[in-house]
Amino acid sequence: MNLIFDLDGTLIDARLRLYRLFQELVPQSNLTYERYWALKQEKVSNQNLLVTKFAFDSAAIEVFIANWMDRIEAPEFLSLDKNFPGMHQALKKMRKQAKLHVCTARQAKQPVYYQLERLGLLHYFDSIMVTEQNRGKEELVAKVPNLERHDWIIGDTGRDIQVGKMLGLKTCAVLTGFLNEESLRGYEPDLILATASDFRL
């Protein structure tokens, strides 16, 4: 059996990184961490926030997006990420019953390997797949050896669920990332869990 995990918001807690970067790029923002994430989980995009709360025009939004992509995987921001509670114990158990994989839409491979090593997670996984922003997750996941219909994709976004359904896999959504339970139910995953560490085979 194969279990394919998303990275940010699924295996690791990246919320502080994303909030801190937003605050750096929008210094006039007085959004608290809690308020920012409440809005994100209600499917309010950064672009919508910039328009509705900070009166950004299209040119300013383009600058924000370019700066976001340039800074989001910088070492000083990646250092803010941490493991979700219980992740080590959960992956150790899962690895005894399945092959584990990571598939992430990050821009570069090496920071992913470095971060997983720093967080002590790298050795649990049989493969690390990174889209590098030039391939779709479905293309990478489809190449996992011996992929079968009872295998699972586990992620925190609607896109993860769509990829799983596209490939005929079981889908598990987790509530540790971008979307709340109501939003995730709209994508009709097979399972919704509080965290990826709650997953049981």
Side-chain angles (χ1 to χ4, degrees):
M1 174 177 284
N2 293 288
L3 303 180
I4 298 101
F5 293 86
D6 177 47
L7 181 58
D8 298 320
T10 301
L11 290 173
I12 63 175
D13 187 348
R15 289 174 291 186
L16 183 59
R17 167 164 52 107
L18 302 181
Y19 171 71
R20 288 272 185 88
L21 179 55
F22 185 89
Q23 294 298 100
E24 177 181 292
L25 298 180
V26 189
Q28 65 268 46
S29 170
N30 60 0
L31 290 172
T32 64
Y33 172 89
E34 291 76 15
R35 181 56 180 157
Y36 177 78
W37 277 101
L39 290 166
K40 297 296 287 183
Q41 291 188 320
E42 293 169 7
K43 300 181 74 171
V44 178
S45 68
N46 280 340
Q47 288 91 326
N48 285 342
L49 275 176
L50 295 174
V51 171
T52 59
K53 292 189 175 295
F54 305 104
F56 274 40
D57 60 20
S58 58
I61 289 174
E62 286 185 14
V63 171
F64 172 91
I65 293 171
N67 288 334
W68 180 279
M69 296 304 291
D70 182 61
R71 298 282 286 148
I72 190 61
E73 295 176 29
E76 62 268 29
F77 281 104
L78 290 176
S79 68
L80 299 172
D81 293 351
K82 60 185 180 179
N83 291 328
F84 285 114
M87 190 56 67
H88 278 284
Q89 298 91 324
L91 292 175
K92 185 176 180 180
K93 289 180 181 178
M94 291 181 214
R95 184 166 171 77
K96 293 178 180 178
Q97 300 173 279
K99 291 187 179 298
L100 310 185
H101 311 269
V102 173
C103 186
T104 175
R106 292 267 191 96
Q107 299 174 75
K109 291 181 180 179
Q110 194 56 44
V112 174
Y113 282 89
Y114 173 79
Q115 187 177 47
L116 288 172
E117 179 67 29
R118 178 179 68 82
L119 295 173
L121 301 180
L122 185 61
H123 66 283
Y124 293 118
F125 296 98
D126 291 272
S127 70
I128 310 295
M129 298 169 280
V130 182
T131 70
E132 300 179 275
Q133 301 285 301
N134 58 28
R135 288 174 290 178
K137 280 189 174 184
E138 63 276 10
E139 177 185 345
L140 297 178
V141 174
K143 295 178 180 178
V144 171
N146 304 311
L147 196 66
E148 297 182 358
R149 296 185 68 84
H150 63 269
D151 293 339
W152 288 81
I153 188 165
I154 302 164
D156 67 301
T157 70
R159 181 57 184 159
D160 295 317
I161 306 310
Q162 290 171 336
V163 169
K165 290 181 176 296
M166 190 181 307
L167 297 173
L169 306 177
K170 295 284 189 179
T171 56
C172 174
V174 295
L175 301 176
T176 46
F178 285 101
L179 299 180
N180 59 26
E181 185 170 357
E182 181 181 359
S183 296
L184 286 168
R185 285 197 183 282
Y187 295 95
E188 300 183 335
D190 295 293
L191 184 64
I192 298 178
L193 297 173
T195 73
S197 60
D198 294 325
F199 184 83
R200 299 290 183 271
L201 289 168

